[in-house]
Amino acid sequence: MSLNAEGFVVRIRGLPWSCTQEEVAGFFSDCNIVGGVNGVCFTYSKEGRPSGEAFVELKTAEDFKNAVAKDRKYMGHRYIEVFKSNRSEMDWVLKRCGPSDYDSCSGCMVRLRGLPFGCSKEEIVQFFSGLKIVPNGITSP
């Protein structure tokens, strides 16, 4: 099977948990990402927390080569590992990462900012009453 049939995909590890798609796209600024910023696909733990890993599909073999060359380069104060991957591995991992009871149409996560210091998880549940929250789905720093 040719590399092109499986796409030009890299798996990256070592990302800060608060990292955004824009920051990853900026790290790969000299590469063309399929889907642009939205082509950065983060993976999540079973609790829905960021794993510090992501997949990025690139448009050409040259972009792929440039992305792999960024292995162990720094994003801020963290070095990022870049591994060769393929579309089938990316699809397999993305289907299986994150909370296991997500409905196929509602695998979303919301990050809340500006909460009162004393805000409890019960108050957050009450605020989102009527919506399904996965077990251990509310985390705070």
Side-chain angles (χ1 to χ4, degrees):
M1 184 176 293
S2 73
L3 182 63
N4 193 26
E6 279 293 332
F8 303 107
V9 179
V10 293
R11 179 172 58 93
I12 53 179
R13 181 169 67 190
L15 296 169
W17 290 334
S18 62
C19 188
T20 65
Q21 289 177 308
E22 290 80 10
E23 289 172 320
V24 174
F27 181 73
F28 292 109
S29 61
D30 59 340
C31 304
N32 293 309
I33 299 172
V34 173
V37 171
N38 293 325
V40 176
C41 302
F42 293 110
T43 62
Y44 298 91
S45 70
K46 294 292 180 195
E47 292 79 30
R49 296 182 185 129
S51 67
E53 296 187 15
F55 286 90
V56 178
E57 186 169 3
L58 303 144
K59 290 186 178 180
T60 67
E62 186 67 26
D63 294 326
F64 179 77
K65 179 182 161 193
N66 291 340
V68 171
K70 293 197 174 260
D71 184 37
R72 307 222 180 219
K73 300 287 187 228
Y74 282 80
M75 177 188 289
H77 66 282
R78 298 185 60 106
Y79 77 87
I80 306 300
E81 295 175 284
V82 181
F83 303 96
K84 294 179 182 179
S85 187
N86 57 54
R87 193 175 294 127
S88 58
E89 178 188 14
M90 177 177 74
D91 292 343
W92 189 90
V93 170
L94 293 176
K95 284 179 188 173
R96 286 160 182 79
C97 76
S100 57
D101 60 351
Y102 270 3
D103 297 327
S104 61
C105 62
S106 66
C108 299
M109 179 176 70
V110 176
R111 178 177 288 168
L112 304 175
R113 294 178 58 183
L115 293 173
F117 180 75
C119 186
S120 68
K121 290 182 180 182
E122 292 76 19
E123 290 171 311
I124 294 170
V125 169
Q126 182 181 5
F127 181 79
F128 287 108
S129 64
L131 299 175
K132 180 181 177 185
I133 300 174
V134 297
N136 298 319
I138 299 175
T139 60
S140 59

